[in-house]
Amino acid sequence: MTSLPEKTTRKLGLVIDLDTCVGCHACVVSCKGWNTENYGAPLSDQSPYGGDPSGTFLNRVHSYEVQPLATSALPHPSTQLIHFPKSCLHCEDAPCVTVCPTGASFKRIEDGIVLVNESDCIGCGLCAWACPYGAREMDAAEGVMKKCTLCVDRIYNQNLPEVDRVPACVRTCPAGARHFGDFSDPESHVSKLTAERGGMDLMPEQGTKPVNKYLPPRPKDRLDQPAPTGEIDILAPLLAPVIAEPTGFLLWLDRALEKI
Amino acid sequence: MHPAPSVITFTTLSGLGFGLLFWLGLGLPAITGWVAFTFLAVAYALAVGGLMASTFHLGHPERAWKAFRQWRSSWLSREGVCAVAALLVMAAYGAGLVFLDTRLVTLGTLGTVLSLATVFTTSMIYAQLRSVPRWNTALTPALLIAISLAGGALLAGQISAALILLPVAGVLQILWWVRGDTALQGSGTTLASATGIGGIGAVRAFEPPHTGPNYLLREMVFQVGRNHARRLRIIAFGLGYALPVLLVLLPFSHALAALAVLSHIAGILASRWLFFAEAEHVVGLYYGKR
């Protein structure tokens, strides 16, 4: 059924913290690893060691430069570099699902995860066209559409230790920039984070109602604040003598060393 | 969007084929026997040939039959259902014309409606996509239907209809181009809204996720030079709409009519290439490509 459910029981998704992400691409690698070795067709690479390498990824990290406007107080605001992981947002109003002619694409009623049934996918690519985020990629080797499954084969997997029952990208992130949880529960970790930090939707004007939220970067320390009057040596406190006159063992050591 | 030859051929040829079936279903021209067979054979070659071409870009053509299942929600599925229904109904209607020398009016009218529905559902596959602002307009079905009916009229020898429909299609084409040129801006989707970090300042794509290309870039990010596009628009307009009108205004001859049809097809192929090549998918914003 490619009609969307009216309401899902739970709303599983991710919170991605743009303030914390360091752009290490560990989530990209762990996602590719897990999803190549587990559910569905592997994520193939074409010419991985050749001159024109290319491959299927369900999660990619972009980097953006943001230049704040100069003001009289801050004539030279420093540029910010923001790393931006992007994967399927498991939209409530997922346009990729309704366009599917075969019913291969669907949104689960129980947890809201958007999945592809690969044995029904004809590889027409229309769902990838419908997604404004570029979350779906056709695998060049298998000819079927691949997308983030929210690691559906991890999060319910009783064979894994409980700590590992989160998406691979969340489990691996060394900076703690990715969080997994249920957005339908206002008391959940992800709901609270979204409320506290002003979690936002990507492309809200597209009307997709994404479940995943992005936390905006916090304001950075400013190096170009108005210069303080007088000279300040910022290293001075560190270079101040710890002990003015040695005593005891240090006094003996000092004298002994001088004799040599 | 990547201008895939299979999809360009498909939409152009099957649009023309269903346009011809539209007129044949109405009994225009009023033909039976071998003449009817010839007209129907041309229409089926175009419509079915186009549909076959469309399966070339599928990852799994052997599963194409599964695409008839989701007509409740999917325009692509509806198109498949309408196309097969139109072809079956028109086959029965055609059998009446060819073998029984009888025009089964109800069947023909149904075939005409289904042919029109096929072109409409095809156009809605594109028009429904908010992610491609240039396509996301009611002008898209209007333009594709006008082109199909005008081309069909040309092929069916309905000169007076063609003389109305070709200029209508030409005007719609210009409106579609003019609107399309500001569609992405008008959609409100920008790199700032795509990343949500525009509140800090001007956003610039600093580094793409990978140094190599990927499916998204190959499929949805195609950039065509502005001069190149302008020249192609002139060719598309001249060959697709203006020249066929001039040719059918001249005293009738079969050679001129054939030339008008060929010129129309060449112009529509150019127009359809631009339809894809100029269409900006918003995912390009993430790559700083728009």
Side-chain angles (χ1 to χ4, degrees):
Chain A
M1 261 306 272
T2 60
S3 297
L4 289 164
E6 295 249 317
K7 199 177 176 298
T8 58
T9 318
R10 295 199 294 160
K11 276 166 57 174
L12 296 186
L14 301 176
V15 161
I16 294 172
D17 190 344
L18 297 179
D19 190 58
T20 315
C21 176
V22 295
C24 70
H25 291 238
C27 54
V28 178
V29 176
S30 65
C31 167
K32 177 110 174 172
W34 179 266
N35 288 293
T36 287
E37 293 156 9
N38 293 281
Y39 166 80
L43 304 174
S44 71
D45 287 318
Q46 280 66 46
S47 178
Y49 306 106
D52 194 18
S54 160
T56 312
F57 286 82
L58 309 183
N59 178 40
R60 293 180 185 264
V61 180
H62 294 254
S63 296
Y64 297 104
E65 191 184 72
V66 189
Q67 179 61 58
L69 270 180
T71 58
S72 52
L74 276 173
H76 303 293
S78 48
T79 305
Q80 279 190 45
L81 185 63
I82 294 166
H83 302 293
F84 189 91
K86 183 161 64 64
S87 51
C88 174
L89 306 166
H90 297 278
C91 302
E92 284 183 62
D93 234 331
C96 56
V97 170
T98 49
V99 299
C100 178
T102 67
S105 276
F106 60 104
K107 185 170 174 70
R108 307 204 323 170
I109 296 169
E110 62 267 40
D111 51 20
I113 300 179
V114 177
L115 288 176
V116 176
N117 175 354
E118 289 176 7
S119 58
D120 275 354
C121 176
I122 59 174
C124 68
L126 188 57
C127 55
W129 286 11
C131 173
Y133 308 106
R136 290 173 169 245
E137 298 190 16
M138 179 105 75
D139 189 81
E142 288 288 333
V144 294
M145 199 52 73
K146 300 296 297 184
K147 71 175 292 301
C148 161
T149 65
L150 215 57
C151 283
V152 70
D153 49 352
R154 284 176 70 97
I155 59 178
Y156 299 115
N157 193 336
Q158 302 291 323
N159 296 320
L160 295 176
E162 203 172 333
V163 68
D164 285 333
R165 288 181 213 155
V166 291
C169 56
V170 174
R171 185 75 180 99
T172 207
C173 179
R178 303 178 72 110
H179 307 266
F180 165 71
D182 178 10
F183 287 88
S184 70
D185 171 10
E187 290 306 305
S188 71
H189 172 50
V190 287
S191 295
K192 283 182 181 166
L193 259 177
T194 307
E196 278 166 24
R197 297 273 310 280
M200 59 194 178
D201 289 350
L202 303 185
M203 293 188 186
E205 71 284 350
Q206 287 273 334
T208 53
K209 292 195 245 158
V211 168
N212 285 11
K213 303 288 180 224
Y214 282 74
L215 305 182
R218 294 183 175 100
K220 297 294 178 208
D221 295 338
R222 299 193 188 281
L223 291 176
D224 58 350
Q225 274 166 339
T229 47
E231 251 181 80
I232 286 183
D233 184 349
I234 55 166
L235 288 178
L238 302 174
L239 295 175
V242 183
I243 304 170
E245 278 300 319
T247 53
F249 171 71
L250 282 178
L251 180 64
W252 171 82
L253 185 68
D254 196 33
R255 286 181 183 161
L257 286 172
E258 263 174 34
K259 276 181 195 157
I260 297 171
Chain B
M1 303 295 289
H2 169 65
S6 65
V7 180
I8 292 170
T9 319
F10 152 61
T11 55
T12 306
L13 294 187
S14 72
L16 191 60
F18 284 107
L20 178 54
L21 287 178
F22 173 91
W23 294 103
L24 296 181
L26 290 175
L28 299 168
I31 41 170
T32 52
W34 281 109
V35 184
F37 181 82
T38 315
F39 270 95
L40 284 163
V42 170
Y44 272 79
L46 291 168
V48 178
L51 289 176
M52 299 278 277
S54 75
T55 60
F56 293 159
H57 79 287
L58 294 183
H60 281 276
E62 79 283 3
R63 299 179 191 156
W65 61 273
K66 294 190 178 190
F68 298 113
R69 302 195 299 201
Q70 297 298 325
W71 53 271
R72 287 183 201 84
S73 57
S74 164
W75 283 107
L76 178 53
S77 187
R78 285 172 198 161
E79 181 209 32
V81 172
C82 285
V84 170
L87 291 173
L88 290 177
V89 168
M90 285 304 288
Y93 169 75
L97 287 182
V98 175
F99 302 112
L100 306 172
D101 277 352
T102 334
R103 186 171 165 254
L104 305 162
V105 178
T106 320
L107 215 51
T109 313
L110 182 62
T112 291
V113 171
L114 285 170
S115 300
L116 189 62
T118 306
V119 180
F120 174 68
T121 47
T122 306
S123 67
M124 283 309 290
I125 294 170
Y126 305 101
Q128 69 176 331
L129 298 174
R130 281 179 97 162
S131 50
V132 186
R134 195 182 282 268
W135 292 346
N136 189 218
T137 162
L139 279 173
T140 300
L143 173 65
L144 295 194
I145 288 174
I147 290 174
S148 168
L149 295 189
L154 212 52
L155 271 180
Q158 301 305 304
I159 300 303
S160 44
L163 281 175
I164 297 167
L165 287 167
L166 278 171
V168 167
V171 169
L172 283 170
Q173 176 75 82
I174 288 173
L175 288 177
W176 193 87
W177 278 332
V178 169
R179 181 213 163 262
D181 288 343
T182 55
L184 181 61
Q185 275 171 288
S187 73
T189 299
T190 58
L191 182 53
S193 81
T195 56
I197 51 179
I200 304 171
V203 189
R204 191 175 75 86
F206 181 71
E207 260 188 335
H210 295 90
T211 51
N214 61 40
Y215 169 76
L216 302 171
L217 292 169
R218 283 190 298 266
E219 180 74 9
M220 283 169 269
V221 183
F222 186 89
Q223 277 171 311
V224 50
R226 201 174 295 174
N227 281 333
H228 192 55
R230 196 185 304 132
R231 248 173 264 137
L232 267 172
R233 281 185 182 185
I234 293 167
I235 291 171
F237 189 81
L239 292 182
Y241 310 102
L243 188 59
V245 168
L246 288 179
L247 289 173
V248 293
L249 278 176
L250 294 174
F252 179 81
S253 81
H254 275 103
L256 283 181
L259 197 61
V261 169
L262 288 178
S263 161
H264 176 71
I265 293 176
I268 299 309
L269 280 172
S271 154
R272 207 51 53 82
W273 188 86
L274 286 168
F275 181 86
F276 289 95
E278 285 192 295
E280 308 92 340
H281 194 291
V282 294
V283 76
L285 294 167
Y286 283 111
Y287 289 84
K289 296 283 189 188
R290 296 294 178 214

